[in-house]
Amino acid sequence: MAKKDIDWSNLSFGYQKTDYRYVSYFKDGKWDDGALTTDENIVLNECAGVLQYAQTVFEGLKAYTTSDGRTVVFRPDLNAERLIQSAERLMIPPVSKEQFLDAVKKVVKANEDFVPPYGSGATLYVRPYIFGSNAVIGVKPADEYQFRILCTPVGPYFKGGVKPITIRVCDYDRAAPHGTGHIKAGLNYAMSLYPIVEAHKEGYDENMYLDAATRTYVEETGGANFLFVTKDGKVVTPKSNSILPSITRRSLVQVAREYLGLEAEERPIALEEVKDFAECGLCGTAAVISPVGKIVDHGKEICFPSGMSEMGPVTKKLYETLTGIQMGTIKAPEGWIVEI
Ligand code: PLP
Ligand code: COI
């Protein structure tokens, strides 16, 4: 298939309409078979559950062109599982894992011309989402829903690509109450909009959120989990009940142990100990691994030894191994790569 005429290498992380999207309707207690459509617009009742009570959940994954020209997606089964968990917590009827995986395959296949070529630095971002669509005025779940998947070709999430970024310790809490961090829902993100706009105005790329109860432990950023490397080369990531269980982070812990022979540990990380780490990165589908050069805690600077010009050595190995697995140049663990 001929790829679209797009300047792939200069894409930023933004929305661009592709030819097809997937839609399935939930009505009378069941999901229909779903289909592709070329219409990118949605017409909703003014009182739709999503508009009044933000009854909506979403996911994010990517499609890649491998070095030998195949189109693949990375661990979509884990996105399916997390979407189901998110849906259940918001009283949204979950779609089955089978329907999710079938829908991802269909919509990526239909948009294959938009999957950026190998080596371009861009990928096709795939955004599944479910929302309450019928009118509800009392506080209760909707009876009708839409499960949709849109695709958009994207470049790096942070401007500057893999150059280290600066973040600040944030005074606001992300709306991810204890025990519900696994919910990837619109409302959690809406509550992070004010802090992210403020952070950008002050010259920071992201916010470091702390645990809401004690404000002493590191949680995550607005759109990615943290990953640290100790001075003796151990990978450490925060363990918390109120952060999103990042598929990228879980994959990187396995890559660290099984591909790089490193020790990797998930545990609570106090803000106080961050100054002792050698490297820091943000990991996620959109962020991949974005190195952090500096964290500013109310005027007090924590500068990582890896500096502001390059990724630290362990972060770089993790990045190269993960992206190698995703692009097919390094053998993947069983089941990680799904061909379209
Ligand atoms: N944390 C938040 C708040 C996110 O939005 C994301 C992105 O989905 C992540 C972490 C990373 O998760 P994943 O690696 O599954 O994309
Ligand atoms: C992702 O990495 O998929 C995210 O959802 C992060 C951000 C775009 C919200």
Side-chain angles (χ1 to χ4, degrees), residues 13 17 19 21 51 108 140 170 185 206 285 295 300:
F13 196 89
K17 184 183 136 185
D19 290 342
R21 64 278 306 125
L51 299 179
V108 172
K140 62 177 187 202
C170 184
E206 253 292 7
T285 299
I295 300 175
K300 203 171 71 203

Side-chain angles (χ1 to χ4, degrees), residues 42-157:
I42 300 170
V43 176
L44 280 178
N45 183 276
E46 61 190 348
C47 206
V50 60
L51 299 179
Q52 302 307 327
Y53 306 120
Q55 198 189 10
T56 178
V57 292
F58 71 98
E59 268 304 324
L61 66 161
K62 281 176 172 172
Y64 309 84
T65 305
T66 61
S67 55
D68 58 356
R70 291 170 299 133
T71 302
V72 300
V73 291
F74 184 69
R75 310 191 76 178
D77 52 317
L78 298 188
N79 293 99
E81 284 168 16
R82 197 170 58 188
L83 184 71
I84 291 167
Q85 285 180 356
S86 298
E88 283 170 347
R89 182 60 175 77
L90 264 67
M91 291 307 295
I92 292 174
V95 293
S96 70
K97 201 166 169 174
E98 293 68 37
Q99 181 173 4
F100 180 93
L101 295 173
D102 176 63
V104 167
K105 282 187 191 166
K106 279 191 179 130
V107 77
V108 172
K109 185 82 198 161
N111 289 299
E112 209 163 11
D113 302 358
F114 288 91
V115 183
Y118 174 74
S120 65
T123 51
L124 186 74
Y125 187 71
V126 179
R127 170 60 64 90
Y129 56 110
I130 313 180
F131 56 89
S133 54
N134 69 301
V136 273
I137 194 73
V139 181
K140 62 177 187 202
D143 301 310
E144 294 176 13
Y145 295 84
Q146 291 188 28
F147 165 44
R148 286 181 165 259
I149 307 181
L150 67 84
C151 299
T152 180
V154 295
Y157 192 63

Side-chain angles (χ1 to χ4, degrees), residues 14 26 32 36 61 75-76 80 169 212 217 251 259 262 297 318 321:
F26 182 91
D32 72 9
L36 297 172
L61 66 161
R75 310 191 76 178
V169 175
Y217 290 96
S251 303
Y259 285 70
L262 300 172
D297 178 10
L318 286 166
T321 312

Side-chain angles (χ1 to χ4, degrees), residues 196-309:
I196 193 65
V197 170
E198 193 179 80
H200 287 163
K201 253 188 231 156
E202 292 176 12
Y204 302 105
D205 298 287
E206 253 292 7
N207 287 302
M208 169 188 271
Y209 290 102
L210 301 178
D211 76 290
T214 71
R215 301 197 54 77
T216 50
Y217 290 96
V218 175
E219 295 256 282
E220 61 177 334
T221 64
N225 279 182
F226 277 104
L227 186 141
F228 298 99
V229 181
T230 63
K231 290 196 172 117
D232 55 0
K234 192 195 284 180
V235 173
V236 197
T237 76
K239 189 180 173 72
S240 160
N241 226 343
S242 44
I243 64 174
L244 196 76
S246 160
I247 294 162
T248 315
R249 189 243 309 156
R250 286 180 272 162
S251 303
L252 286 168
V253 164
Q254 200 173 326
V255 163
R257 289 179 183 145
E258 294 173 12
Y259 285 70
L260 304 176
L262 300 172
E263 260 186 75
E265 194 173 60
E266 268 181 83
R267 62 168 172 82
I269 297 176
L271 174 61
E272 189 46 41
E273 63 179 302
V274 168
K275 62 178 187 327
D276 300 324
F277 291 129
E279 298 175 37
C280 173
L282 304 185
C283 60
T285 299
V288 193
I289 311 181
S290 302
V292 175
K294 195 197 284 187
I295 300 175
V296 181
D297 178 10
H298 302 89
K300 203 171 71 203
E301 293 194 350
I302 300 170
C303 297
F304 293 98
S306 47
M308 287 305 295
S309 59

